Every structure is written in structure tokens, then in C-alpha cells.
Amino acid sequence: MSRPLIAVVALSLTAAGLAVPAVSAAADPSSCSAVSTTWAAQSSPHAAPEGLLNAYSDTGRGWTGADSTYSVPLPGGRTAWVFSDTFLGPVNPDGSRPTTTPFINNSFVIQQGTKLKTVTGGTATSPTALVPPPANGWYWFGAAQTSHAGRDLDVVALRFEKTGTGQWDWRWASNYLARFDSTTYKLKSLTPIPSGANVQSSGWLLRDSGYTYVYGVEDLGASKYQHVARVRGDDLTAKPWEYWTGSGWSADETASARVLQGVANEHSVTRWSDGYLLVTHDTNELFSKRVVGYFSCSPTGPWVKPVELYQTPETGGNIITYNSHDHPDLRRGTSLLVSYNVNSLVSDELYGDVSIYRPRFVSVTLAAAG
């Protein structure tokens, strides 16, 4: 499994105490109640749609587990669940997977009410990833949104490539936008997007005030830093990108500033109160179980007043949790819907127990403390 290997590398470097540059000091945020309020969190695990996805996985008729777990509302009341590394069926009666079960690097699960269906490339008897792997690597999916009045489903795809024959001989290479027809789910185009500043631009996409804000991560293994770019409109390939420098916007990709240290490769930035809320796994800690929220009056930060939203109970032994984020279109009232991924550092465990490698969902209510 590739995902646990990334976690092992990154967290091992942290444990080794690798020195990295710090984030530049940011100015005090402007006044807004999202920041001036002291928030307290109450969390309830096993929120919907966790049970629905688990039941579908148990049937062994398609998707049986994956990570990334982005959700995008589609026309007609559908939801596209966007996944990276994916196991497909069947599932044995004892809840294990055959060692011959298909494993692909990206997939969709389409939800219509309580009905789910798996979408992959290839054929039913020989499924492949939705974006076929290049000869020397693969694509992992990140944040996604619709464009062109909902006709297209756009997914940021990270291209990784092999650099040798060894287990660790691979690296992130570049960012792409994979565009799918939102009705047929067929791949329409695969377009390079900016990749020149060592930022994986797949963390989150936020539409706000006529722009799409692109949240990326500068992943140094030991440390991860959030960066912010933006594009006018909803098409990441149609207009020039601008990059947040810490004090303004620049057309120079290399001027992009580090905004926050300790974010996960996948996180979320959403409107909250009269400001913004960032939800992420805490990557400042080794094998962290902490899901944290930060607040800002601006979509570019600075992110302040962190509050612990949840501690993942699965974390421990060989089991790791990672890449938590909100699903703003699936919130119920003022409660967040936060998902996170669960994996094992021992791949045999994923074949022995299908229930490990599934997303978990938590309902989080934020209220003013006191």
C-alpha cells in the first residue's frame, strides 16, 4: 500500500528532528467574530454516511475501501465521492479480502439517495483507475468541484512517478486537472496545472467572492506547509493563477508564501460564521490522532486559535489515521461533517479485515465556550 508508506517516511523524518525553515510571522488578523470567539467542540462519531458506505463495502459488489474521501454535489441530487487508492470486491464471508482483489489508484462512488455505485475505468471484469496510470507512475486524486454550470466534474490529480526499481524509488512529479463529464463520468481531459513551486495543489478548493481558492501543501516529509493560490471563476485551466505572498497576490508562482505549518496533505477551508474555518489532521505530531480547527477572517489566513475537534480512537499499534477534512455541502445545521482516513502500516491487515481501510465520519458541533 502506498499511502502508509508516505506516512512512515514523513513521520519518521519528524521523529528524527529534521530542521526546516519556519513560517514567516503573519500580521494580526482583522476583527471578525469567527476569530474573536473562543470556540468549543463536541463530537459524535459514526455520523452518516459512514454506515451507508460500510454496508455497501460489505456487499463486495464494487468499492470496498479507499482513502482521500472528497465529496462533490452533482446535479440531480447526486453526490460524487472522490477516492484515491481503492480496493474493489469481492469480500469473503469472514470479512477478509482475497489477496487477488483489484486495487486501483483512483475511483468514484456515486450516491443517489441511499443507492451507491462504483465508477472506475476499464471494464467490469478488468477495472482500472479512472485516470489510467502513466508508464512510470500513477495519479492520486485530491480536491474536486464542478465547473461549467455543473456539466463537468473537475478533480485535482497528483502525478507520482517511479525513479527506480526499489520500494521507495518514487516521487511527486506534478499537478494536473482531470475533467470528467458529470453525467457519464467519462474522462474528458487531463491538463497540467502549475507545479513549479514544489506545492501539491490538491488540498482543498474553495469558491468565494468570484474566485476559486486553491489550497496546496509544500510537503517536505518532516514538515508540511499550506500555500494558497486563486483563479477567477470556476475553471482552474481557463484563467491565470495568482499566488498569496503573505501580503498580497502575485503572478509569480515562486513567490507563494508558507501560510501554516502542520497541515495534512488533504484538509479543508470553509466559510464559518463571518470568517473561515480550516480543518486538518495535526501533522506537527508523530502518528497524530488529533483533528484540529483553525480560524481566520480571510481565506488566506493567518490561521489562529486552534481548537481540538476530535481524537481518532483507531490510532495505535499498526493503525494510522490521516487527512481529516470537512464536507460543507453535507453539514446538518451548524454541525460540521468531518471525515478521516484509516490505514495500516502492515498491508496484510488490510486484506485480513475489510473494515480497516474505510473512511470514518464525525459530526462536530462548534459553540462559543462558556
Side-chain angles (χ1 to χ4, degrees):
M1 288 293 300
S2 300
R3 288 282 166 141
L5 300 184
I6 288 181
V8 170
V9 172
L11 296 170
S12 295
L13 288 171
T14 302
L18 180 66
V20 294
V23 176
S24 299
D28 290 337
S30 301
S31 176
C32 64
S33 62
V35 167
S36 62
T37 302
T38 298
W39 300 97
Q42 291 187 334
S43 303
S44 300
H46 309 305
E50 184 176 314
L52 182 66
L53 286 165
N54 288 350
Y56 181 62
S57 171
D58 287 340
T59 69
R61 296 173 184 167
W63 176 99
T64 62
D67 63 0
S68 282
T69 319
Y70 289 97
S71 59
V72 181
L74 299 179
R78 295 166 295 147
T79 295
W81 293 96
V82 178
F83 294 105
S84 290
D85 282 345
T86 302
F87 279 109
L88 303 175
V91 173
N92 295 322
D94 64 355
S96 64
R97 289 185 172 95
T99 56
T100 56
T101 189
F103 178 78
I104 58 178
N105 294 122
N106 48 75
S107 69
F108 296 152
V109 171
I110 305 300
Q111 179 180 354
Q112 179 97 55
T114 58
K115 295 182 179 180
L116 302 176
K117 73 173 182 178
T118 302
V119 180
T120 68
T123 65
T125 57
S126 183
T128 63
L130 283 163
V131 178
N136 68 331
W138 63 90
Y139 292 95
W140 278 336
F141 281 175
Q145 64 177 12
T146 56
S147 66
H148 304 121
R151 295 189 301 274
D152 294 325
L153 171 58
D154 292 349
V155 184
V156 179
L158 301 181
R159 177 171 176 164
F160 286 79
E161 63 183 21
K162 300 173 185 176
T163 58
T165 59
Q167 182 181 11
W168 300 103
D169 294 338
W170 50 271
R171 67 180 183 91
W172 169 77
S174 53
N175 303 313
Y176 283 78
L177 188 76
R179 175 161 292 158
F180 297 86
D181 184 291
S182 67
T183 300
T184 66
Y185 315 115
K186 299 297 184 183
L187 180 65
K188 297 174 65 173
S189 61
L190 186 64
T191 306
I193 56 177
S195 306
N198 196 36
V199 175
Q200 300 175 24
S201 298
S202 61
W204 190 255
L205 301 175
L206 169 68
R207 285 189 191 165
D208 192 55
S209 302
Y211 288 91
T212 297
Y213 287 83
V214 183
Y215 295 88
V217 175
E218 179 188 359
D219 186 349
L220 302 181
S223 299
K224 301 174 190 291
Y225 298 89
Q226 185 194 57
H227 288 247
V228 186
R230 71 179 184 181
V231 180
R232 187 175 293 277
D234 65 3
D235 186 342
L236 300 187
T237 65
K239 300 287 185 180
W241 285 38
E242 298 178 307
Y243 306 90
W244 181 247
T245 66
S247 59
W249 295 98
S250 171
D252 179 4
E253 185 178 358
T254 63
S256 180
R258 293 171 174 174
V259 176
L260 178 67
Q261 183 176 357
V263 293
N265 293 69
E266 300 173 3
H267 56 274
S268 62
V269 176
T270 59
R271 292 304 304 256
W272 180 256
S273 182
D274 57 350
Y276 299 83
L277 168 66
L278 186 157
V279 175
T280 183
H281 238 75
D282 184 2
T283 63
N284 290 308
E285 296 183 356
L286 181 65
F287 296 125
S288 179
K289 62 174 65 176
R290 298 182 68 237
V291 181
V292 294
Y294 295 84
F295 301 88
S296 178
C297 299
S298 165
T300 59
W303 300 104
V304 297
K305 301 182 73 170
V307 58
E308 183 175 279
L309 305 179
Y310 190 64
Q311 289 196 8
T312 57
E314 299 85 358
T315 305
N318 296 324
I319 304 301
I320 60 173
T321 57
Y322 55 103
N323 283 348
S324 51
H325 56 76
D326 186 21
H327 296 264
D329 293 295
L330 299 175
R331 287 178 181 170
R332 295 185 176 181
T334 59
S335 294
L336 313 177
L337 178 64
V338 176
S339 68
Y340 60 93
N341 298 139
V342 181
N343 214 323
S344 175
L345 301 175
V346 178
S347 60
D348 286 350
E349 293 185 350
L350 303 182
Y351 289 92
D353 183 356
V354 70
S355 70
I356 295 174
Y357 192 56
R358 294 169 172 169
R360 298 339 190 241
F361 292 84
V362 182
S363 176
V364 179
T365 300
L366 286 170

